Each structure stands twice: as structure tokens, then as C-alpha cells.
């Protein structure tokens, strides 16, 4: 026979107080003396009472759920963001309600609508082009605080947490130049990517700063797979043999580029080698990069910290959903690995 479920009335009787007093203590409301709070909490612990949060949320019109909508939950960048947000919010008693929208603005708006219907306490989302202003309007209508996390900047009056893509690309390009490279290419991403546009801007600016050539033929788009990256790099090196270094848009681009270099009858070298060797430098490090020979250099953005900062900002908004929007841009780090 299973043990009887402890109810709030049992807690009240055990503590010698009214049910309303126990409810106020559980909801952290009202003016309750410290001695009464301790007495109620002691009864809760000794009886093993477990609060029904769903029912409490319905009664108080509050929720311990936070909506998180990402474009791709399998992307390592967004996986780290999720870990950071979850870590911060769970410390304050909140749980994540995770959804994926891909590149569809309609799907993103549907996700937001579903979360509004679930009475979430706040929403963190990664924007899709054409959807940000409708989300802002919807959030204002329902008085739900929102925070935007993204790989690229957004031009809206909204709290935004993200990486400094331009500085990351400048850092990568300057590093290669200081290693002696003068013919540097950029491979990966698509022309409609704002992240790519910001990185290419930093790459181009740095080349011009050092009086080095920027050529459109040295900037190639390609898909997200290693296979597509290998084909693009092989094509590039066969048609542009002067190139000795490549900035790789994604981790998969950098890993695929290794095969492309070899197919072009070149070898992958550490960044301080010139000649038949080609230096590769990627963005947003992944664990698989530790297994390559030679090891690869990455410029990585603090994705987990971006998530933590987004969680903190949302908590602030939930306490007081007023004031001007904040923009928090986190700086990248150059990660150099030594060859095994």
C-alpha cells in the first residue's frame, strides 16, 4: 500500500497554523513572522510535503517556466547557450521550456504564441529575419519580458546578448598576418548570413589595415557539412594557389577544410608555416577539433556566458519589466592548441 500523499492541510495542522498562512509562506507573500516561517518550513521538511507547482501557478497566475526558442538545438553554439541559461535560471527556481524554430519566422512566432498560452514567466529567443518586431509587439501585448540571444547583432529596441563577430574575425586575420601570411581566404556560410557579413567585415578591414589584398574570388560560400567544406576548399586552392591561410566560418567548415587541403595536394600546417602548407583557423571551437593532426586554432565566443548573461537579464526584466534595453557584447578568445 502506497503512503498517503501529504497535503497542505496536514502541514497547517502539524505546524499549528492556518492553511492560508502555509500558502503565504510557500508563495513568499504577506507579513509572516520569522518564527512562523521556520515552523512551517520545519513541518514541510518533516512531513515530506511536495508542493504542486502547476496548481500553484494557476492560482497565482504565475509560472516557473521560461521559454527558450532557438534556431537549431543541435548547434554547439546554441547548446552552450542553453546550458548557460539553464544553469542561471534553475538557481532561481525556474525551468526551461525549449523549442526549435529553424529558419522559419512563422514557426518562431508560433512557438512564441504557444509559450504565451502556457503562461511562461519570460522568453529568451534567437531571432529569425522578419520576426523580431512582431515578437516584441506580442510580448508587450501580453506583458511578458523577453531577451534576444543571437550570433549577429539585431537593430531593434530589445535586450540583446551576443558575440563580437567583427572583433573575432579581426583577431583571426591579424593572427594569421603576424604568422607571415599574406594571401588569406574566407570559406563558409551563405550570403544571407548576418554573422558571416560581420565576420567578413572584420576580415576585410584587417587586410586593408595591413595593406593586403582583398579579393572576392577568395571568399567562398558553402553548406554546413564537412563534405561541402572539403569540396569548396579543394576548388579554392586549385584555382587560387597563392592562398596560404583560410578563415573557416563554422567548426564543420574547419574540419572539412582539412580534407580539402589534402585533396588539393597541399598539407595543413600550423599557422607559422608558409609554402605548400595551408593554415586553417576556425570560429566557435568544438571538442572534435582536439583530435585533428595537426591541431587547429580557433577564435571562440563565450557561448555559455552569453546564456548566463541572458538568464540574468531576463530575471531582471521579470522583476521590473521597464527601462531602456541593454546590449551586452562578449569578447572572443583565441584558442591555440599545441600539436600532440
Amino acid at each position: 500500500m502506497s503512503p498517503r500523499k501529504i497535503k497542505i492541510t496536514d502541514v497547517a495542522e502539524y505546524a499549528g497554523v492556518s492553511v492560508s498562512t502555509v500558502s503565504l509562506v510557500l508563495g513568499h507573500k504577506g507579513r509572516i513572522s520569522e518564527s512562523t516561517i521556520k515552523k512551517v518550513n520545519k513541518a514541510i521538511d518533516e512531513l515530506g510535503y511536495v508542493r504542486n507547482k502547476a496548481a500553484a501557478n494557476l492560482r497565482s497566475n504565475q509560472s516557473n517556466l521560461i521559454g527558450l526558442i532557438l534556431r537549431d538545438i543541435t548547434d554547439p553554439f546554441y547548446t552552450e547557450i542553453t546550458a548557460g541559461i539553464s544553469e542561471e535560471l534553475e538557481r532561481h527556481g525556474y525551468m526551461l521550456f525549449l523549442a526549435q524554430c529553424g529558419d522559419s519566422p512563422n514557426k518562431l512566432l508560433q512557438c512564441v504564441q504557444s509559450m504565451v498560452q502556457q503562461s511562461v514567466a519570460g522568453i529568451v529567443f534567437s531571432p529569425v529575419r522578419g520576426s523580431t518586431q512582431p515578437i516584441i509587439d506580442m510580448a508587450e501585448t501580453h506583458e511578458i519580458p523577453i531577451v534576444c540571444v543571437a550570433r549577429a547583432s539585431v537593430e531593434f529596441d530589445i535586450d540583446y546578448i551576443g558575440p563580437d563577430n567583427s572583433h573575432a574575425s579581426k583577431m583571426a586575420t591579424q593572427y594569421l598576418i603576424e604568422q607571415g601570411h599574406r594571401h588569406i581566404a574566407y570559406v563558409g556560410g551563405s550570403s544571407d548570413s548576418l554573422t558571416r557579413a560581420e565576420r567578413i567585415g572584420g576580415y576585410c578591414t584587417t587586410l586593408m589595415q595591413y595593406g593586403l589584398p582583398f579579393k572576392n574570388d577568395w571568399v567562398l560560400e558553402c553548406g554546413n557539412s564537412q563534405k561541402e567544406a572539403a569540396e569548396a576548399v579543394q576548388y579554392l586552392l586549385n584555382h587560387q594557389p597563392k592562398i596560404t591561410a583560410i578563415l573557416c566560418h563554422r567548426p564543420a567548415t574547419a574540419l572539412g577544410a582539412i580534407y580539402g587541403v589534402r585533396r588539393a595536394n597541399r598539407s595543413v600546417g600550423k599557422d607559422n608555416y608558409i609554402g605548400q602548407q595551408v593554415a586553417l583557423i576556425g570560429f566557435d571551437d568544438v571538442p572534435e577539433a582536439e583530435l585533428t593532426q595537426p591541431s587547429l586554432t580557433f577564435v571562440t565566443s563565450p557561448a555559455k556566458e552569453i546564456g548566463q548573461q541572458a538568464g540574468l537579464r531576463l530575471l531582471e526584466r521579470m522583476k521590473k519589466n521597464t527601462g531602456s534595453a541593454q546590449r551586452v557584447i562578449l569578447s572572443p578568445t583565441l584558442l591555440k592548441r599545441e600539436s600532440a
Side-chain angles (χ1 to χ4, degrees):
M1 183 176 176
S2 59
R4 183 176 70 87
K5 184 177 180 180
I6 302 300
K7 300 178 180 179
I8 192 171
T9 52
D10 299 318
V11 175
E13 183 179 350
Y14 191 92
V17 299
S18 66
V19 171
S20 60
T21 297
V22 175
S23 181
L24 289 171
V25 171
L26 289 171
H28 305 287
K29 296 179 179 179
R31 295 184 178 181
I32 310 296
S33 68
E34 192 64 34
S35 60
T36 300
I37 292 173
K38 289 181 179 178
K39 190 161 43 174
V40 171
N41 285 330
K42 182 181 179 183
I44 289 170
D45 291 339
E46 293 183 358
L47 292 175
Y49 173 73
V50 178
R51 188 186 187 197
N52 186 332
K53 290 218 169 187
N57 290 340
L58 288 172
R59 290 193 297 270
S60 63
N61 198 29
Q62 292 181 336
S63 172
N64 71 326
L65 289 177
I66 300 295
L68 174 60
I69 311 170
L70 301 174
R71 299 177 73 163
D72 181 3
I73 60 177
T74 66
D75 186 315
F77 179 81
Y78 289 119
T79 300
E80 285 293 297
I81 282 181
T82 302
I85 293 174
S86 178
E87 182 179 288
E88 198 59 49
L89 293 177
E90 287 180 8
R91 292 198 301 111
H92 293 82
Y94 292 96
M95 297 294 291
L96 285 181
F97 178 8
L98 180 62
Q100 177 176 277
C101 65
D103 294 323
S104 169
N106 289 334
K107 180 68 181 296
L108 176 54
L109 290 172
Q110 288 172 4
C111 289
V112 173
Q113 289 171 342
S114 295
M115 290 179 175
V116 169
Q117 291 168 0
Q118 294 295 323
S119 300
V120 295
I123 295 175
V124 179
F125 73 99
S126 175
V128 176
R129 191 173 297 183
S131 65
T132 305
Q133 190 58 55
I135 290 175
I136 294 173
D137 296 339
M138 195 184 307
E140 289 178 351
T141 299
H142 295 279
E143 298 183 342
I144 296 178
I146 58 174
V147 172
C148 175
V149 290
R151 273 195 159 124
S153 298
V154 294
E155 301 302 323
F156 293 90
D157 187 23
I158 183 174
D159 288 306
Y160 164 77
I161 321 291
D164 191 336
N165 290 312
S166 177
H167 182 55
S169 190
K170 288 178 182 177
M171 184 182 292
T173 308
Q174 183 174 355
Y175 176 80
L176 292 172
I177 292 170
E178 289 174 350
Q179 301 305 310
H181 296 280
R182 296 296 180 265
H183 301 89
I184 303 169
Y186 190 105
V187 172
S190 58
S191 59
D192 62 349
S193 166
L194 295 177
T195 299
R196 182 176 184 267
E198 290 177 354
R199 288 178 180 166
I200 288 178
Y203 154 73
C204 179
T205 299
T206 307
L207 291 177
M208 293 175 63
Q209 178 184 340
Y210 282 85
L212 297 177
F214 170 84
K215 296 184 178 181
N216 290 329
D217 292 344
W218 295 2
V219 178
L220 262 63
E221 298 181 46
C222 76
N224 299 334
S225 71
Q226 293 187 34
K227 179 177 183 294
E228 291 168 298
E231 292 170 351
V233 168
Q234 180 182 6
Y235 174 88
L236 175 71
L237 294 178
N238 284 338
H239 289 80
Q240 306 291 339
K242 288 185 177 180
I243 290 172
T244 62
I246 302 173
L247 274 66
C248 301
H249 183 67
R250 292 176 178 268
T253 311
L255 296 172
I258 295 173
Y259 300 99
V261 170
R262 290 169 181 166
R263 290 176 186 176
N265 297 317
R266 307 274 289 273
S267 60
V268 179
K270 291 302 289 182
D271 305 64
N272 57 339
Y273 293 123
I274 311 294
Q276 284 300 107
Q277 293 185 323
V278 178
L280 303 175
I281 187 165
F283 296 97
D284 298 334
D285 182 46
V286 291
E288 292 87 340
E290 297 180 5
L291 304 177
T292 64
Q293 287 293 334
S295 57
L296 298 179
T297 297
F298 275 82
V299 176
T300 183
S301 297
K304 187 174 183 179
E305 187 180 350
I306 290 173
Q308 291 170 334
Q309 292 290 333
L312 286 171
R313 183 55 183 159
L314 187 64
L315 288 169
E316 292 174 359
R317 280 292 184 192
M318 287 158 54
K319 291 178 182 176
K320 186 179 180 182
N321 196 19
T322 58
S324 59
Q326 292 185 2
R327 295 179 65 81
V328 179
I329 310 297
L330 299 181
S331 298
T333 302
L334 184 70
L335 177 61
K336 294 184 288 184
R337 292 189 177 91
E338 295 300 325
S339 296

